[in-house]
Amino acid sequence: MTELDEKIKQLQSILDAGKRIVFFGGAGVSTESGIPDFRSADGLYRQKYRYDPETILSHTFFMEKTSEFYEYYRDKMAVTDVLPNVTHNFLVSLETAGKLAGIITQNIDGLHQIAGSKKVTELHGSIHRNYCMNCHKFHPLSVIKESPDIPHCDCGGIIKPDVVLYEESLKDADIETTLSLLSSADVLIVAGTSLSVYPAASFLRYFSGKHLVLINKSATAYDSHADLLIQAGLGEIFSKLKI
């Protein structure tokens, strides 16, 4: 048995015993669906654009260079031609079995809900929710994707994605739900995240349950806190687990 096989066996035992499991996921959860992450060697943050992606995805840039924001957003963020992967589907089964208390995701792609998960907290919002900044009317993603430039509501207001841009705050309700889930969980699985985005990463300190499992290809600042550390691709792990 390889070291990875042994760790998967340990994870299986933790899941079997867990009663209130919480999953905290990042970009690495969706990379196997074809959505690039931000900080790996081939992620969006290493690609060449006129402006740095962190600049483009900021509140200031959105307000001052709205047209250029949407050019980038439609090209790189509003991704719809992808499907849930092994990890998304495993979490649906875990929820159906009554063992998953909730999913906390930093992703905005909506793949957890598309897979069938119901208990999802989207810390950074969703590309599938868009609102008029004037009258607050809801608009589907198609309105943004089909707009040749800045998308506008019937009332004339600019339509803004319900995603948390840099310089913007997380929603109080999402923070409250996240902290409640973490503080009441007996097992926390942190997967596919570098844990370098704050304040999201700082929320992990509210977990005081039995097992902290950390799954990520690269090292994180929280590795030393994990009861079980697995440095491998998520699909390779979750495809071998059973409910």
Side-chain angles (χ1 to χ4, degrees), residues 69 73 108 124-129 160-165 168:
F69 170 89
Y73 186 83
I108 62 174
H124 296 153
S126 171
I127 63 172
H128 299 285
R129 297 191 301 270
K160 184 180 183 295
D162 187 20
V163 299
V164 180
L165 302 175
E168 294 181 345

Side-chain angles (χ1 to χ4, degrees), residues 113 116 127 234 238:
Q113 290 93 328
I127 63 172
L234 302 191
F238 289 100

Side-chain angles (χ1 to χ4, degrees), residues 2-243:
T2 66
E3 180 182 358
L4 180 58
D5 288 335
E6 180 59 37
K7 289 190 174 185
I8 293 174
K9 183 179 179 181
Q10 291 178 46
L11 177 55
Q12 183 70 67
S13 296
I14 291 173
L15 293 178
D16 289 344
K19 291 179 170 44
R20 282 192 57 81
I21 302 169
V22 169
F23 182 90
F24 185 104
V29 175
S30 294
T31 52
E32 292 178 18
S33 288
I35 298 178
D37 70 4
F38 286 89
R39 302 178 191 280
S40 68
D42 57 349
L44 293 180
Y45 280 76
R46 303 298 177 93
Q47 298 177 18
K48 302 297 183 183
Y49 294 98
R50 182 179 176 185
Y51 297 95
D52 183 276
E54 288 191 5
T55 298
I56 298 174
L57 298 174
S58 68
H59 179 80
T60 297
F61 194 92
F62 175 82
M63 298 301 293
E64 296 180 354
K65 299 181 183 294
T66 312
S67 182
E68 290 178 78
F69 170 89
Y70 272 110
E71 182 180 0
Y72 179 88
Y73 186 83
R74 274 189 290 268
D75 185 33
K76 295 297 179 184
M77 307 304 293
V79 180
T80 55
D81 56 343
V82 292
L83 296 172
N85 59 51
V86 169
T87 304
H88 297 106
N89 294 330
F90 178 84
L91 293 171
V92 174
S93 298
L94 199 62
E95 181 179 311
T96 301
K99 298 176 72 69
L100 185 69
I103 295 169
I104 303 163
T105 180
Q106 299 175 81
N107 298 335
I108 62 174
D109 50 53
L111 285 177
H112 284 297
Q113 290 93 328
I114 293 172
S117 290
K118 307 297 183 185
K119 304 175 182 179
V120 184
T121 301
E122 296 171 306
L123 280 178
H124 296 153
S126 171
I127 63 172
H128 299 285
R129 297 191 301 270
N130 307 277
Y131 297 92
C132 173
M133 297 177 69
N134 181 39
C135 71
H136 308 295
K137 177 183 176 182
F138 169 83
H139 293 271
L141 179 59
S142 59
V143 172
I144 288 179
K145 290 181 70 73
E146 295 167 6
S147 173
D149 193 15
I150 301 172
H152 285 89
C153 178
D154 296 337
C155 75
I158 294 175
I159 299 171
K160 184 180 183 295
D162 187 20
V163 299
V164 180
L165 302 175
Y166 290 99
E167 304 169 349
E168 294 181 345
S169 300
L170 304 184
K171 293 180 180 179
D172 289 342
D174 290 334
I175 295 175
E176 184 178 339
T177 300
T178 294
L179 299 187
S180 176
L181 283 169
L182 292 175
S183 62
S184 62
D186 60 356
V187 175
L188 174 61
I189 302 173
V190 180
T193 173
S194 61
L195 293 175
S196 57
V197 176
Y198 286 81
S202 67
F203 295 154
L204 297 194
R205 70 180 187 271
Y206 285 86
F207 173 70
S208 59
K210 295 179 181 178
H211 299 288
L212 171 59
V213 179
L214 208 161
I215 308 171
N216 199 51
K217 286 184 177 180
S218 57
T220 79
Y222 281 77
D223 287 0
S224 61
H225 299 282
D227 299 296
L228 178 60
L229 176 64
I230 307 178
Q231 292 183 320
L234 302 191
E236 186 177 6
I237 305 300
F238 289 100
S239 63
K240 296 178 180 177
L241 296 169
K242 296 179 175 59
I243 304 300

